[in-house]
Amino acid sequence: MLGGTHHVGRAFVEAAVARGDDVTTVTRGVSGTPVEGAEARHADRLDPDVLSAALGDDEWDAVVDTWSAAPVAVQTSARLLRGRASHYTYISSCSVYTWPIAPGSDEGAPVVDGDAGSRDASDYAAAKRGGELAVLAEFDGDVAVARAGLILGPYEMVGRLPFWLRRIAAGGRVPAPGPPDRPLQLVDARDIADWVLGSRPVGTFNTVSTPGHTTIGALLEQVRSVTGGDAELVWLDPETVEAAGVEPWTELPIWVPPTGELAGLHALDTSAAAAAGLRCRPMPETVADTWAWLQREGLPERPTNRGSAPMDAAAEARLWAAHAARTAT
């Protein structure tokens, strides 16, 4: 496991250890939560000599790589692991598709340019595409490129579902972006782990649930139920959100309007992953387990390459002002 102490990586290691697998993790050893039962090795993946020393001469059945920064790290890892593993899974992102993503896009949709040897991590989409190209070029065994959609579940670092859990737990009137029946696509990190560990898929896959796995209304109502607060969800239409200047997806996590350039984020074709065995657990389980984790461990430090943070009090105030203006007319 290249990574293994944060979100998707941690979910993979926990699942593999629970299966009885012998697991080796390679991390810098400076953050995250090591999983008991895994052998922890430490290396800076941007230093080929240090990484080579950490890997030694060992061989593994399979490799999972969650790297999201400079693609050269994936290039180095895949090159060093040639002939020493039979399967390599790279956790990529649907962000590699050119913008805007057309609803119904499958794995053949146009992608951004990427450079497998790049040391630039400033553009998340380009970095992920570069990682894809690196593993496909350098590794000589079977490869799975998992282009993940919206990844939720325990250990989530971006803070999307945790935002709603904490805000709704705080109570009071909560601005809820609608319409409530707006369909969502999501995947629990643990479901990616179960799929890859159990099936070892080969190919490139949009790795997320089918469209309409749940709705924004069902999700936020489940959050309210799990947190047990007295919050009142006040549903705002997309026009109100736009008038307030509050950004979908980032400031209002998970949600995007049902029309417009963001709509494709919840409308990907995932038939290939489903045919290869990906199964997504019910949304209420993800919500309940994420809430339990938040209460137990708190929210980890947020990555700096995932766009703006969820809305603050000032952004919420703008939503209320826009809502008041629209209801007064």
Side-chain angles (χ1 to χ4, degrees):
M1 184 73 221
L2 298 169
T5 60
H6 291 292
H7 199 193
V8 178
R10 184 174 170 186
F12 262 94
V13 176
E14 288 186 351
V17 169
R19 281 163 40 100
D21 295 335
D22 293 325
V23 183
T24 304
T25 63
V26 180
T27 68
R28 292 181 303 159
V30 299
S31 65
T33 303
V35 177
E36 185 176 353
E39 178 195 354
R41 302 184 188 183
H42 302 305
D44 181 348
R45 291 184 58 189
L46 293 173
D47 187 326
D49 292 336
V50 171
L51 179 59
S52 179
L55 294 173
D57 297 324
D58 293 322
E59 297 182 359
W60 292 268
D61 294 320
V63 178
V64 178
D65 189 348
T66 63
W67 186 261
S68 295
V72 68
V74 181
Q75 183 184 65
T76 300
S77 302
R79 188 174 290 163
L80 287 171
L81 289 163
R82 286 177 60 92
R84 299 166 62 182
S86 60
H87 190 279
Y88 196 122
T89 297
Y90 178 61
I91 306 299
S92 185
S93 169
C94 291
S95 295
V96 301
Y97 294 119
T98 55
W99 194 257
I101 302 172
S105 291
D106 63 13
E107 293 79 3
V111 296
V112 301
D113 292 331
D115 177 359
S118 174
R119 295 182 176 275
D120 183 5
S122 61
D123 184 327
Y124 178 77
K128 277 297 193 184
R129 178 57 180 159
E132 292 183 357
L133 294 172
V135 69
L136 290 168
E138 299 294 342
F139 190 69
D140 60 349
D142 291 335
V143 172
V145 174
R147 288 178 178 162
L150 174 65
I151 310 178
L152 301 180
Y155 321 138
E156 185 205 329
M157 295 176 66
V158 180
R160 293 178 172 125
L161 183 54
F163 165 79
W164 288 112
L165 285 161
R166 294 167 76 178
R167 175 61 190 89
I168 290 174
R173 299 171 74 236
V174 178
D181 62 356
R182 200 285 183 243
L184 303 180
Q185 281 183 300
L186 57 89
V187 62
D188 192 303
R190 298 169 295 178
D191 293 330
I192 305 177
D194 290 343
W195 174 51
V196 170
L197 293 170
S199 301
R200 293 203 189 158
V202 178
T204 299
F205 303 92
N206 289 339
T207 306
V208 69
S209 71
T210 56
H213 182 68
T214 189
T215 64
I216 189 65
L219 179 72
L220 296 190
E221 288 290 354
Q222 186 64 29
V223 168
R224 182 167 64 171
S225 174
V226 164
T227 56
D230 61 354
E232 176 193 358
L233 298 178
V234 180
W235 290 99
L236 311 181
D237 58 36
E239 293 75 19
T240 298
V241 175
E242 183 177 10
V246 178
E247 292 297 323
W249 190 254
T250 52
E251 289 188 287
L252 284 170
I254 298 174
W255 176 83
V256 298
T259 60
E261 68 174 17
L262 295 169
L265 290 172
H266 284 302
L268 291 164
D269 181 338
T270 59
S271 56
L278 176 64
R279 300 292 180 267
C280 294
R281 70 192 64 205
M283 173 272 293
E285 183 178 338
T286 296
V287 171
D289 291 350
T290 304
W291 178 235
W293 159 69
L294 270 180
Q295 293 179 295
R296 185 172 65 247
E297 297 185 19
L299 189 63
E301 183 178 353
R302 189 175 186 276
T304 59
N305 63 342
R306 301 298 179 88
S308 57
M311 73 173 178
D312 56 16
E316 183 169 334
R318 296 200 307 273
L319 283 175
W320 290 130
H323 175 62
R326 284 182 65 83
T327 55
T329 58

